[in-house]
Amino acid sequence: MTRLSHSRERMEKVPTQTFFNLPEEKRERIIRAAIDEFADNSFHQASIAKIIEQAGISRGSFYQYFSDIKDLYKFIFEKSGQEKMVYIYDVVSKMNELNTFVIMKELYKAGIRFANDHPKLALLGNKLYKEDISVRNEVMAGLEEKSYQFYEDLLQKGIEKGDVDPGVDITIASRLFLTMNLAVVENFLTNSKHDHFLDDIEGYLQEVDKMLYILEHGLKKKDYE
Amino acid sequence: MTRLSHSRERMEKVPTQTFFNLPEEKRERIIRAAIDEFADNSFHQASIAKIIEQAGISRGSFYQYFSDIKDLYKFIFEKSGQEKMVYIYDVVSKMNELNTFVIMKELYKAGIRFANDHPKLALLGNKLYKEDISVRNEVMAGLEEKSYQFYEDLLQKGIEKGDVDPGVDITIASRLFLTMNLAVVENFLTNSKHDHFLDDIEGYLQEVDKMLYILEHGLKKKDYE
DNA sequence: AAAAAATATGACAGGTGTGTCATGTTTTTA
DNA sequence: TAAAAACATGACACACCTGTCATATTTTTT
């Protein structure tokens, strides 16, 4: 209790307490408007003007909740991360038992399911990974390194389990893995927009299998002569 | 001759004839300013205001050479492509003789040498590949498809030569190859900026070897039991 | 119900950018 | 050398954005 009252410090929270005191409907409206804006625009193209316009709040109010658009971006990105966790939690929890390549496949699949259910969040996240390092550092606040670390651990465990070739450079492989994951989601998002609406994403998952086949076996022809 | 005179049509060239009539020194100043601006900023952040400021020309003059900033971007991107050609021409010409994986390696190496000699051009090109599809289509005008086609041909020849596993999906593999190429160059550019200045790029090429090892052999452990 | 605290508002100053245009200046042509 | 063509210039109108602030409204506290 004393704890709690102490937590109301002079340091402002990053979305302000005021923001969380808001009636849920209004708060949701702001969040939705922000997601739309960040899904459609790069960090620098996104504007407070458009967000408050769509959310139907005044400029003055915006600054009562966030100190600038970067704070809002951070908040939305974190929320997105939490939502994505829901999709990959099951896979992560089985990381020690399953074969490394099965894990990888499940991670890719989870990523696609997330993108299917929350296309705007996926879009927004992918956009962020394409931003300059300076923007990424400001908004993701070290989350990127965490991703790499996660994949490095996965591969390291894979070597210990005997699944993964000990000859591969783990740092490089994890970069490759993350990059490929982004490309896979990106590809899914563009295809599901333009082409036929794949209501079942199973068809698309076959594409992922082909991708993983390459990642697992390489491009070289096996069993000569 | 009649041909040549006919080519002076009512359709305005895209950098205007006026631009090419300019004294070389002035033209170069504009090109340099544009390269700087496009290397430092995204398509939407780049501005005519800053370019003319650095080049020391008036706003009115700019519009005598280009109809808007997109035209300038196109022009610079094309120039950059021509310059890059110089680096990969040798490799391309040997495409039929050499082993497919040797070709790939040489292509990566050529990309790195290009980035080493012309970091701003490489930066600018990499930035463009990260832009939205709409921007890419406007500026690259189908050049992207050409890149994919090039890699698909390389892989197809590889299968015919017996180098490449016929089981791999060529479309996906070519996407992977292009993506990796971008990542490699990106990585080189960031490293050569922040860390120690690698005056010899040979050290960095070892990284590329590790990358290609994965692409060639995959991540899976070989020779079981 | 009066005072205090919390929340909301939009006008405003100031910044950056674009494309145009009337007006110069220089070069070429006749 | 006079007319025409080519080239250069920067002020201007308009657009879009940001962060602040005096003021108004609502809610909570006393």
Side-chain angles (χ1 to χ4, degrees):
Chain A
M1 304 106 174
T2 6
R3 275 287 186 70
L4 240 58
S5 53
H6 272 295
S7 79
R8 191 193 293 197
E9 309 264 35
R10 60 198 80 275
M11 273 202 62
E12 275 297 337
K13 292 218 298 192
V14 164
T16 299
Q17 184 58 47
T18 309
F19 179 68
F20 293 109
N21 295 343
L22 245 38
E24 187 175 331
E25 190 275 326
K26 187 173 187 178
R27 197 167 54 241
E28 285 300 325
R29 237 164 52 220
I30 296 169
I31 291 173
R32 270 198 305 277
I35 290 173
D36 284 356
E37 181 69 2
F38 293 139
D40 286 348
N41 301 284
S42 73
F43 179 74
H44 289 285
Q45 284 181 270
S47 82
I48 295 172
K50 281 179 280 169
I51 291 168
I52 60 179
E53 213 269 324
Q54 208 205 313
I57 63 167
S58 72
R59 173 158 285 268
S61 287
F62 180 92
Y63 285 94
Q64 210 126 28
Y65 313 143
F66 306 97
S67 71
D68 54 25
I69 203 171
K70 194 180 75 193
D71 276 351
L72 174 55
Y73 205 158
K74 267 175 165 164
F75 173 67
I76 296 292
F77 180 69
E78 264 163 40
K79 275 210 78 172
S80 173
Q82 284 161 18
E83 185 60 38
K84 183 159 187 179
M85 259 303 161
V86 174
Y87 288 77
I88 63 170
Y89 182 78
D90 281 355
V91 189
V92 175
S93 67
K94 294 183 212 136
M95 230 174 92
N96 291 305
E97 311 151 35
L98 296 177
N99 171 283
T100 306
F101 294 102
V102 173
I103 303 263
M104 287 183 177
K105 184 174 173 176
E106 291 302 318
L107 284 173
Y108 275 53
K109 281 168 79 172
I112 288 172
R113 291 212 188 84
F114 171 70
N116 189 61
D117 296 348
H118 306 282
K120 284 174 186 171
L121 294 185
L123 210 51
L124 172 169
N126 267 34
K127 274 215 161 69
L128 185 52
Y129 273 96
K130 292 183 180 180
E131 293 284 350
D132 277 351
I133 183 81
S134 56
V135 173
R136 294 203 311 266
N137 280 347
E138 279 183 306
V139 178
M140 315 208 325
L143 263 291
E144 204 177 4
E145 283 74 21
K146 276 236 177 83
S147 302
Y148 284 124
Q149 193 56 53
F150 173 77
Y151 292 128
E152 286 183 23
D153 290 350
L154 175 64
L155 288 161
Q156 185 57 48
K157 283 208 184 90
I159 290 177
E160 285 158 17
K161 272 188 274 189
D163 295 339
V164 173
D165 182 352
V168 308
D169 184 298
I170 283 185
T171 310
I172 287 175
S174 74
R175 277 211 303 269
L176 187 140
F177 195 88
L178 183 53
T179 307
M180 282 343 299
N181 208 336
L182 288 173
V184 161
V185 171
E186 169 107 357
N187 201 247
F188 173 74
L189 287 170
T190 43
N191 281 0
S192 62
K193 253 181 197 158
H194 296 295
D195 298 359
H196 42 83
F197 235 94
L198 12 159
D199 43 350
D200 73 324
I201 62 177
E202 295 309 314
Y204 190 80
L205 291 177
Q206 290 176 13
E207 297 275 296
V208 175
D209 281 342
K210 292 176 188 165
M211 165 103 273
L212 278 161
Y213 176 87
I214 296 173
L215 216 52
E216 186 171 351
H217 301 97
L219 295 170
K220 193 176 184 178
K221 184 172 186 180
K222 284 87 197 168
D223 322 312
Y224 282 89
E225 94 234 36
Chain B
M1 307 105 171
T2 8
R3 276 285 188 71
L4 241 57
S5 52
H6 272 294
S7 81
R8 191 193 295 194
E9 309 266 35
R10 60 198 79 274
M11 274 204 61
E12 274 297 335
K13 291 218 296 190
V14 163
T16 300
Q17 184 56 48
T18 307
F19 179 69
F20 293 109
N21 294 343
L22 245 38
E24 188 174 329
E25 191 275 326
K26 187 172 186 180
R27 197 168 52 241
E28 285 300 325
R29 236 164 55 220
I30 296 168
I31 290 173
R32 270 199 305 276
I35 290 173
D36 284 356
E37 181 69 2
F38 294 138
D40 287 347
N41 300 286
S42 73
F43 178 74
H44 289 284
Q45 284 181 268
S47 82
I48 295 172
K50 282 179 278 170
I51 292 168
I52 61 179
E53 213 269 324
Q54 208 204 312
I57 63 168
S58 72
R59 173 159 285 268
S61 286
F62 179 90
Y63 285 94
Q64 209 125 32
Y65 314 142
F66 306 97
S67 68
D68 54 25
I69 204 173
K70 195 180 73 193
D71 276 351
L72 174 55
Y73 205 157
K74 266 176 167 165
F75 172 68
I76 296 292
F77 181 68
E78 264 162 40
K79 275 210 78 172
S80 173
Q82 284 160 20
E83 185 60 39
K84 183 159 187 180
M85 260 302 161
V86 173
Y87 288 77
I88 63 170
Y89 182 79
D90 281 355
V91 189
V92 175
S93 67
K94 293 184 214 135
M95 229 175 92
N96 291 305
E97 310 152 33
L98 296 177
N99 172 281
T100 306
F101 294 102
V102 174
I103 303 264
M104 287 184 177
K105 183 173 173 175
E106 290 302 318
L107 284 172
Y108 274 51
K109 282 169 78 172
I112 288 172
R113 291 213 187 83
F114 171 70
N116 190 61
D117 296 349
H118 305 282
K120 284 175 186 171
L121 293 185
L123 210 51
L124 170 170
N126 267 33
K127 274 216 160 68
L128 186 51
Y129 273 95
K130 291 183 181 181
E131 292 284 351
D132 277 351
I133 183 81
S134 56
V135 172
R136 294 206 310 267
N137 280 345
E138 279 183 306
V139 178
M140 314 206 327
L143 263 292
E144 203 177 4
E145 282 74 19
K146 278 237 177 80
S147 303
Y148 284 125
Q149 192 57 53
F150 173 78
Y151 292 128
E152 287 184 23
D153 290 350
L154 174 64
L155 289 161
Q156 185 56 47
K157 284 209 182 87
I159 291 178
E160 283 158 20
K161 271 188 274 190
D163 296 338
V164 174
D165 182 351
V168 309
D169 183 301
I170 284 185
T171 309
I172 288 175
S174 73
R175 278 210 303 266
L176 188 143
F177 195 89
L178 182 52
T179 307
M180 284 341 302
N181 208 335
L182 289 173
V184 162
V185 170
E186 170 106 358
N187 202 249
F188 173 75
L189 287 170
T190 43
N191 281 0
S192 62
K193 250 179 198 161
H194 297 296
D195 298 0
H196 43 84
F197 236 92
L198 14 160
D199 43 350
D200 73 323
I201 62 176
E202 295 308 314
Y204 190 79
L205 291 176
Q206 290 175 11
E207 296 276 295
V208 175
D209 281 340
K210 291 177 189 165
M211 167 103 273
L212 278 161
Y213 175 87
I214 296 173
L215 216 50
E216 186 170 351
H217 301 97
L219 295 170
K220 192 177 184 178
K221 183 171 187 182
K222 281 85 199 168
D223 323 312
Y224 281 90
E225 98 234 37

